[in-house]
Amino acid sequence: MKKEIKLDPEDFAKQVIHNYQSTSKEFETIAKEHLTLYLISYMLIERFNNLEEKNLYGISLEEFNRRLDNLQFSPGAFFQK
């Protein structure tokens, strides 16, 4: 029996930005931070769902970790203080 985990990218991204607290007082900066987080979160879940289609169950731990490493991304210096 194939087990499958599918996450809704829109719901996930909304939850991420809902729980994010900006330290900025500038409205434009806050909007940019939220937009960046939304897009990164959305794309991350799309990538996860694509990976999940290949079925993560029944593979070795090494293969599992290799596939998860493919999900890594760097948002760049935008959030570095």
Side-chain angles (χ1 to χ4, degrees), residues 49-79:
N49 285 339
N50 288 335
L51 178 64
E52 173 61 15
E53 285 178 5
K54 297 174 184 161
N55 197 356
L56 295 177
Y57 300 94
I59 60 174
S60 70
L61 180 59
E62 292 165 341
E63 178 65 12
F64 178 80
N65 287 328
R66 187 189 68 74
R67 291 182 186 186
L68 289 182
D69 285 344
N70 289 334
L71 292 177
Q72 290 182 356
F73 65 95
S74 174
F78 187 81
F79 291 107

Side-chain angles (χ1 to χ4, degrees), residues 10 12 16-17 19 24 28 30 34 38-40 43 45 47 52-53 55 58 61 67 69-70 74:
E10 186 176 343
F12 181 82
V16 169
I17 61 169
N19 291 303
S24 178
E28 185 174 341
I30 294 168
H34 279 82
Y38 182 91
L39 294 173
I40 289 170
M43 291 185 292
I45 294 305
R47 289 169 58 190
E52 173 61 15
E53 285 178 5
N55 197 356
L61 180 59
R67 291 182 186 186
D69 285 344
N70 289 334
S74 174

Side-chain angles (χ1 to χ4, degrees), residues 3-51:
K3 297 177 183 178
E4 195 171 299
I5 298 171
K6 285 289 182 187
L7 300 173
D8 184 299
E10 186 176 343
D11 287 343
F12 181 82
K14 285 179 181 178
Q15 286 298 320
V16 169
I17 61 169
H18 176 74
N19 291 303
Y20 176 72
Q21 297 295 318
S22 177
T23 57
S24 178
K25 303 260 189 254
E26 300 290 324
F27 292 132
E28 185 174 341
T29 300
I30 294 168
K32 287 178 181 178
E33 289 175 354
H34 279 82
L35 177 60
T36 301
L37 272 173
Y38 182 91
L39 294 173
I40 289 170
S41 301
Y42 192 101
M43 291 185 292
L44 177 64
I45 294 305
E46 283 191 327
R47 289 169 58 190
F48 172 81
N49 285 339
N50 288 335
L51 178 64

